[in-house]
Amino acid sequence: SYTTDSKSREENKKTLKSLYSLSVDITKIRRLKEWVLLQDVAYVKEIAGILQEMGADETTVANIIERCPEAILHTPAEINSQRALWQLVCQNEKQLIKLIEQFPESFFTTEYQQNQKANILFFQELGLKNNIITRFLTSAPNIFYNPVEKNRNVIETLQRNYLNLGGSEANMKIWILKLLSQNPFILLSTSTAIQENLEFLQKNDFTDQEVLQLLSKLKGFIFQLNSPAMQKSMLFSKNVFKCSDQELKQLVLKCPALLYYSVPVLEERLEGLLKEGISIAQIRETPMVLELTTQIIQYRIKKLSALGYDIKSGNLESLNGTKKDFEVTYGKIQSKRERPIFNPVAPLHIED
């Protein structure tokens, strides 16, 4: 919506002068978004003034403008409205300015203020804590651009399905809030897509309880998939592991990644494991290793091999889990290797 006509290709001298006076690195702006400097109207001093009012020092102001130059094209009225909006969920202006410095693009998107406000109030009414809502505002801002009715509709679809699948009324609120805080992008799905994906699981003989279990394990990512993609992934796994439908179902419940990842991703990860000398039988026993990238697997195998641990002859449990889980496992194996068990009746081998 900003003009970059060739007739006004010259940088706005007034804008440049104001930016220089704030110690803003103009070369950064030229490299990042030069078109901002070509606009006839900019509110450099006014926007800087509002940020300073909130407690930003000169360095912070310069940093914000360098990272999000289009901030200076918004009117002071727009920015004050956005400030009031974000104050609905921020503890104080100190927290607000810190968020603006970290996520300037999210704050300076002002086109959807009515939707943003309605959604903030809806999330508060739903029971989401303000610190979760601020996390959404910064990391998933586009869910606030939806009309509130759209988000409400998705939540109602989830609630209805949770109860239909045998979830209890008492636990429903906790379940919804947990699902949302784990994956706010669920709200970008449509009610139809949610319904179709749940029906796909039921058609594949997952019981209501198992569907609920999968939803929780997948943190709602299942709603960002579609039935044909899930069907292909399941068929791929069935062929690889040479298993029956019932066995496949158990594998998916053990490792929902078999449903979530596309065939090319699963193929690449499987290939990486086989190259390391790991067998299909071992992977079938511990399918969760397919949740890890090939690079992570290679790194973990290398670390374990250095301790003399042969992954090919054991199970793959030691490769599993988060970075923290792996470090704990690695530490245990390391301490076992370093502290041999003393047998008082064993003959002593004394080396020179």
Side-chain angles (χ1 to χ4, degrees):
S1 61
Y2 301 109
T3 57
T4 52
D5 301 347
S6 50
K7 63 178 180 181
S8 61
R9 291 304 295 169
E10 270 190 35
E11 290 179 353
N12 185 325
K13 289 185 172 61
K14 191 181 169 192
T15 302
L16 293 177
K17 193 178 173 186
S18 300
L19 291 170
Y20 277 125
S21 71
L22 291 167
S23 307
V24 172
D25 184 343
I26 302 203
T27 56
K28 274 189 186 173
I29 297 181
R30 285 196 183 109
R31 196 168 59 242
L32 191 66
K33 289 176 181 172
E34 195 196 8
W35 57 270
V36 170
L37 303 173
L38 308 176
Q39 305 310 312
D40 294 335
V41 180
Y43 302 92
V44 184
K45 286 179 180 168
E46 293 88 338
I47 302 309
I50 293 171
L51 294 171
Q52 282 160 345
E53 256 176 54
M54 285 191 262
D57 58 21
E58 191 180 280
T59 310
T60 304
V61 171
N63 186 27
I64 290 169
I65 294 173
E66 284 163 11
R67 287 191 55 200
C68 184
E70 60 268 42
I72 63 172
L73 302 178
H74 290 287
T75 65
E78 284 173 330
I79 298 311
N80 276 322
S81 293
Q82 196 72 338
R83 175 185 179 179
L85 203 57
W86 281 47
Q87 278 175 326
L88 292 173
V89 287
C90 283
Q91 294 165 351
N92 49 43
E93 294 211 310
K94 191 182 174 185
Q95 187 202 5
L96 177 53
I97 205 71
K98 200 175 170 187
L99 288 174
I100 297 171
E101 189 177 12
Q102 287 175 299
F103 307 95
E105 290 86 357
S106 300
F107 180 78
F108 289 106
T109 301
T110 62
E111 293 90 325
Y112 307 92
Q113 279 180 343
Q114 274 184 312
N115 285 357
Q116 282 183 328
K117 185 172 184 177
N119 280 307
I120 286 172
L121 297 174
F122 168 59
F123 292 143
Q124 285 176 328
E125 180 192 308
L126 204 59
L128 277 172
K129 290 191 167 69
N130 283 343
N131 63 329
I132 301 286
I133 301 173
T134 53
R135 182 158 62 79
F136 288 179
L137 276 169
T138 52
S139 59
N142 41 349
I143 67 169
F144 292 87
Y145 309 159
N146 286 338
V148 71
E149 296 73 29
K150 198 262 178 203
N151 287 341
R152 196 186 297 275
N153 199 1
V154 169
I155 295 295
E156 283 169 0
T157 303
L158 288 168
Q159 288 171 328
R160 191 171 56 251
N161 278 292
Y162 178 76
L163 294 175
N164 290 344
L165 291 166
S168 72
E169 191 86 51
N171 290 332
M172 183 174 71
K173 185 179 175 180
I174 296 166
W175 183 79
I176 285 284
L177 295 181
K178 190 178 178 187
L179 206 60
L180 266 181
S181 56
Q182 286 174 330
N183 179 18
F185 297 105
I186 294 171
L187 294 169
L188 299 179
S189 310
T190 63
S191 302
T192 316
I194 289 172
Q195 206 64 52
E196 280 173 3
N197 287 357
L198 292 175
E199 282 167 14
F200 167 81
L201 293 174
Q202 287 167 319
K203 279 176 194 163
N204 278 275
D205 295 328
F206 287 93
T207 66
D208 289 353
Q209 197 53 45
E210 286 167 345
V211 173
L212 270 185
Q213 190 186 325
L214 273 175
L215 295 190
S216 301
K217 273 192 173 183
L218 277 165
K219 300 174 183 174
F221 286 110
I222 192 167
F223 300 131
Q224 286 156 253
L225 304 174
N226 57 62
S227 307
M230 289 192 280
Q231 187 69 61
K232 281 178 189 168
S233 296
M234 282 179 74
L235 191 61
F236 172 77
S237 298
K238 189 179 178 182
N239 292 334
V240 164
F241 297 117
K242 297 182 173 51
C243 56
S244 67
D245 288 346
Q246 188 56 32
E247 287 168 331
L248 176 65
K249 199 177 82 160
Q250 291 312 313
L251 282 173
V252 170
L253 287 169
K254 223 174 175 185
C255 174
L258 295 177
L259 196 66
Y260 178 70
Y261 287 122
S262 66
V263 171
V265 170
L266 290 172
E267 260 176 340
E268 186 215 334
R269 293 185 179 186
L270 202 70
E271 211 175 292
L273 287 161
L274 296 175
K275 273 183 186 168
E276 295 293 335
I278 290 164
S279 69
I280 291 285
Q282 282 176 296
I283 300 166
R284 183 173 166 169
E285 196 62 39
T286 316
M288 293 78 77
V289 288
L290 291 166
E291 291 172 3
L292 303 166
T293 66
T294 305
Q295 289 78 3
I296 290 172
I297 287 288
Q298 286 169 342
Y299 167 78
R300 291 183 181 184
I301 289 176
K302 200 174 173 183
K303 279 199 83 169
L304 291 172
S305 299
L307 294 178
Y309 186 90
D310 183 15
I311 202 78
K312 284 174 269 189
S313 57
N315 70 33
L316 305 181
E317 287 296 336
S318 50
L319 289 176
N320 264 348
T322 61
K323 186 181 178 185
K324 196 177 174 183
D325 296 335
F326 175 71
E327 292 304 333
V328 170
T329 306
Y330 177 79
K332 283 179 185 171
I333 295 170
Q334 190 177 34
S335 61
K336 269 186 192 171
R337 292 283 188 270
E338 287 171 359
R339 197 180 61 243
I341 297 162
F342 175 65
N343 182 346
V345 294
L348 290 174
H349 297 287
I350 301 165
E351 293 176 7
D352 294 337

